[in-house]
Amino acid sequence: MGHADSALAGVEAGMTTVSLVLGGGGARGMAHIGVIQWLVENGYSIRSISGSSIGALVGGVYAAGKLGVYADWVVGLEKMDVLRLLDPAFGRTGLFKGERIIRALRDLVGDHDIEDLPVAYTAVATEQASGAEVWFQKGKLFDAIRASIAAPMFFTPFKLAERTFLDGALVNPVPISPTLNDPTDLRVVVRLGGTPDASSARPAAAPPCGAPWRRVRAFMNGRAEGRRRDAEPRGVFAIALSAMQLMQDRIAELSQSDRSEDVTVAIPRHACGCHEFWRAQEMIALGYEQAASAFKTQRRPVMSS
């Protein structure tokens, strides 16, 4: 896992430079780690990262040079560890405050200013008042990440400098646009809402994102009622999040139309429940496998390291 961190040392002669676009999708975003590992191990130099939601988180950690540390930490998480990272908000603006997870990440990664990162970095968020897409390209790294992961109903909105922000995936789930003017050789896009594929199916053990606290607690303890992968969502939270995911997938598809310069790595949307961070090792392996497959089928050259 330390291979990814070593890529920040510089661009060697002859290396293909990459703009990396990391989409949103909860725990499936651990697949981003595997994609990054494959790219680095195969001689690609990541010089720019744009991410929404979990993509902003993983991308920011990589840009800070701490992906190996983060990957080791998240692979070690068990169900109860994930539960302990959730701090109930006891309010109407979201189930959890998100302060505990950001504090844990800051302790792990350190505090960084985006301007000082060795990789160009953009975190995408949504301004609540206007619905505008906002690009965080300067300021505190973890302010940008917290704004970008503020999933409605799950995390409370994030307030910064008299503005309130929501999850970036609401307006741009796969944020290609910040990379359009990058002077890199190749753009690699990672989508977490790919079409379900039986060959990469993983058993789903968790209800959809945004489930009420009692159900979150139930599945964290392994007592959630089993359900078929293709079962219809139940309840207002499940229906709302299911609709939002469909909307985001459609936006992502439209934003990538006619972009022949991209390599797209698609992670099937049923690969794991979006709270199942204790399955990080599976998702990292899946991301690695899907990256290798995408470069093979899309006929991009694999560079020698």
Side-chain angles (χ1 to χ4, degrees), residues 220-245:
M220 290 289 188
N221 287 320
R223 296 194 296 271
E225 179 183 354
R227 62 178 64 190
R228 300 189 350 250
R229 188 173 293 113
D230 59 350
E232 293 183 0
R234 301 174 183 176
V236 63
F237 284 101
I239 291 171
L241 268 294
S242 177
M244 187 169 71
Q245 183 66 63

Side-chain angles (χ1 to χ4, degrees), residues 27 30 82 203-206 219-220 271-280 283:
M30 296 302 95
V82 176
F219 82 74
M220 290 289 188
C272 78
C274 71
H275 293 96
E276 295 181 299
F277 285 92
W278 57 88
R279 297 173 66 184
M283 292 300 101

Side-chain angles (χ1 to χ4, degrees), residues 94-106:
L95 292 173
F96 307 106
K97 292 182 286 187
E99 295 172 1
R100 193 175 297 167
I101 179 63
I102 291 296
R103 185 165 58 248
L105 290 171
R106 188 181 286 112

Side-chain angles (χ1 to χ4, degrees), residues 24-275:
R28 291 191 301 279
M30 296 302 95
H32 291 322
I33 298 172
V35 174
I36 293 172
Q37 289 176 345
W38 188 93
L39 288 169
V40 172
E41 289 178 11
N42 285 277
Y44 293 89
S45 178
I46 301 168
R47 304 311 303 159
S48 170
I49 295 177
S50 174
S52 278
S53 200
I54 190 66
L57 193 161
V58 174
V61 171
Y62 174 78
K66 296 292 185 178
L67 188 67
V69 174
Y70 173 73
D72 289 341
W73 175 75
V74 78
V75 164
L77 292 178
E78 297 183 358
K79 291 183 181 182
M80 289 307 299
D81 297 321
V82 176
L83 178 60
R84 293 187 187 102
L85 289 170
L86 300 176
D87 40 2
F90 301 111
R92 296 183 179 181
T93 60
L95 292 173
F96 307 106
K97 292 182 286 187
E99 295 172 1
R100 193 175 297 167
I101 179 63
I102 291 296
R103 185 165 58 248
L105 290 171
R106 188 181 286 112
D107 290 344
L108 191 71
V109 174
D111 211 4
H112 298 269
D113 291 326
I114 294 172
E115 303 94 309
D116 297 333
L117 298 175
V119 174
Y121 173 79
T122 303
V124 175
T126 305
E127 186 179 37
Q128 181 175 339
S130 65
E133 178 179 338
V134 177
W135 296 358
F136 283 84
Q137 296 176 319
K138 61 182 180 179
K140 294 295 182 183
L141 174 62
F142 279 102
D143 284 346
I145 290 173
R146 177 60 181 87
S148 190
I149 67 171
M153 297 180 290
F154 192 73
F155 285 128
T156 57
F158 180 64
K159 295 183 178 180
L160 180 68
E162 300 183 356
R163 301 173 74 186
T164 302
F165 299 97
L166 300 173
D167 198 306
L170 291 172
V171 291
N172 201 344
V174 185
I176 295 172
S177 44
T179 69
L180 292 180
N181 294 321
D182 286 350
T184 50
D185 301 316
L186 179 66
R187 184 180 303 110
V188 178
V189 178
V190 188
R191 292 182 53 204
L192 302 180
T195 302
D197 177 359
S199 66
S200 60
R202 303 299 201 265
C209 270
W213 166 253
R214 63 182 179 277
R215 293 176 61 196
V216 173
R217 181 175 58 191
F219 82 74
M220 290 289 188
N221 287 320
R223 296 194 296 271
E225 179 183 354
R227 62 178 64 190
R228 300 189 350 250
R229 188 173 293 113
D230 59 350
E232 293 183 0
R234 301 174 183 176
V236 63
F237 284 101
I239 291 171
L241 268 294
S242 177
M244 187 169 71
Q245 183 66 63
L246 290 172
M247 176 189 71
Q248 291 174 6
D249 291 347
R250 182 57 177 159
I251 293 171
E253 290 170 4
L254 292 173
S255 70
Q256 272 189 263
S257 60
D258 300 322
R259 294 191 186 280
S260 59
E261 74 273 22
D262 295 338
V263 170
T264 299
V265 181
I267 307 301
R269 60 177 173 268
H270 72 278
C272 78
C274 71
H275 293 96

